[in-house]
Amino acid sequence: MLLLLLLQVLASCLWLGQSDVVPSFQSCPQFFFRETPPNNTLQPNNPAWICQRYNNRYHYATLYNRDLRIPVYSAYLYKPDNATKPQNIWMVEPQLIGPSYPNTMETVNMLMNESRVTLEQISHSQAIPDDYKNLKGLNHGHLNPTCQQPTYSSKKATFSLTNIVPQYDKLNGGEWNRYEVQTMIKNTKGCTTTYVVVGAVPGNNLIPNGRVNIPSHIWSGACCEMGNNQMKAWGAIAENDKNEVQLLTLGDLEKKLTNLYRRGEVSLFHPDCPRS
């Protein structure tokens, strides 16, 4: 009886060490073309699969790298609209702490007050707002950009730090912004549904406090359904420290990412999405 009790306690302790984020996007497959996420080549050593939840609704999906404290990619549906843009109040993901915490993003202060956790507990496997203070030449780089979301709530949901990487100011406010706004509007003409995956290639440097990785590249892939079984796709990539964006086919983007990640062949979308 004592042995059984000890085994139950051990099992309980092991479960408490797990995250509520399950190893798949089973709760939010709608953000991927044909419900097919990128292949496992992009999966880091210590991943978290997050269905990004805000206001009782899933808004996009993120594969997160707990060790480097940056997202691998965020996937979403392209639906830009002129809804009011929220204030820059940054949130974190309670699920990364453990299974007993809320499954919806919250501010650090709210999480600490309501769930009685410490800042150290929160920061163990994710970035916190203090990490991004006083950075020189870098700012909050959204993978899922606010401007491509339709409602106040969906725009607000992009302000989770699990959707953010340290991005150089010139690129974030320059050519990458031009791509997010002007190029995407141009490329999506005629599209009925556009699936987007935006990611960041880990770099060799960290921000000054040594907690968050600075990506070497930012990239984006899109797959567009046009009706009558017609489709088109495209990609873009930029070196983080240069204000230049290279436009390319989806197939060429996947080849470039294959060379950058060096883990095997990268596939961002279901095979039905055109590569040329």
Side-chain angles (χ1 to χ4, degrees):
M1 185 71 181
L2 179 59
L3 178 59
L4 177 61
L5 180 61
L6 288 173
L7 290 173
Q8 289 176 334
V9 171
L10 177 60
S12 174
C13 290
L14 288 172
W15 170 244
L16 287 173
Q18 301 298 311
S19 169
D20 197 25
V21 181
V22 294
S24 74
F25 292 114
Q26 61 186 17
S27 298
C28 56
Q30 67 270 26
F31 300 113
F32 302 96
F33 173 62
R34 301 275 197 270
E35 299 188 353
T36 304
N39 66 351
N40 291 336
T41 302
L42 299 181
Q43 184 176 312
N45 292 329
N46 192 6
W49 290 261
I50 306 171
C51 290
Q52 299 279 14
R53 186 179 178 91
Y54 180 73
N55 256 3
N56 260 348
R57 184 177 177 183
Y58 295 123
H59 295 279
Y60 59 104
T62 300
L63 177 61
Y64 191 73
N65 188 326
R66 300 170 185 262
D67 292 335
L68 301 183
R69 299 184 178 90
I70 58 171
V72 178
Y73 61 75
S74 286
Y76 58 94
L77 297 176
Y78 176 80
K79 295 182 178 180
D81 208 328
N82 294 323
T84 302
K85 181 181 177 181
Q87 291 181 315
N88 292 4
I89 298 176
W90 301 101
M91 296 180 284
V92 294
E93 183 52 69
Q95 297 176 82
L96 295 182
I97 305 171
S100 62
Y101 298 96
N103 66 349
T104 183
M105 57 186 73
E106 295 184 357
T107 65
V108 165
N109 288 339
M110 182 178 294
L111 183 57
M112 292 174 66
N113 290 335
E114 293 184 354
S115 298
R116 304 300 179 188
V117 295
T118 65
L119 187 61
E120 183 179 358
Q121 285 176 290
I122 299 171
S123 66
H124 178 69
S125 61
Q126 63 187 299
I128 58 175
D130 285 351
D131 290 325
Y132 283 83
K133 288 183 177 179
N134 303 317
L135 292 183
K136 294 182 179 179
L138 294 162
N139 58 26
H140 299 81
H142 287 74
L143 294 192
N144 175 3
T146 305
C147 65
Q148 295 183 12
Q149 291 298 313
T151 66
Y152 179 86
S153 288
S154 61
K155 290 179 185 295
K156 181 68 176 175
T158 67
F159 286 87
S160 168
L161 289 176
T162 53
N163 178 51
I164 298 296
V165 299
Q167 190 172 11
Y168 280 94
D169 295 343
K170 289 183 179 180
L171 178 63
N172 196 17
E175 290 304 309
W176 194 255
N177 179 260
R178 185 190 301 273
Y179 172 77
E180 289 178 332
V181 179
Q182 298 181 17
T183 304
M184 284 295 290
I185 289 176
K186 177 183 176 182
N187 285 3
T188 54
K189 285 183 178 179
C191 298
T192 56
T193 305
T194 303
Y195 298 86
V196 185
V197 179
V198 181
V201 181
N204 297 320
N205 299 308
L206 303 173
I207 62 173
N209 68 6
R211 281 181 34 85
V212 181
N213 183 269
I214 302 173
S216 63
H217 295 74
I218 312 295
W219 55 265
S220 176
C223 188
C224 149
E225 295 178 321
M226 303 177 68
N228 297 323
N229 293 320
Q230 291 185 316
M231 301 190 64
K232 63 179 178 179
W234 61 91
I237 193 167
E239 294 183 55
N240 195 7
D241 59 353
K242 295 180 181 177
N243 189 25
E244 300 174 5
V245 174
Q246 181 183 2
L247 303 178
L248 61 177
T249 66
L250 175 59
D252 285 342
L253 173 62
E254 291 177 332
K255 290 177 183 177
K256 189 171 283 287
L257 294 179
T258 296
N259 291 331
L260 287 170
Y261 283 96
R262 296 180 181 179
R263 297 178 191 160
E265 188 172 344
V266 171
S267 176
L268 298 180
F269 294 97
H270 186 280
D272 287 350
C273 190
R275 264 53 186 184
S276 58

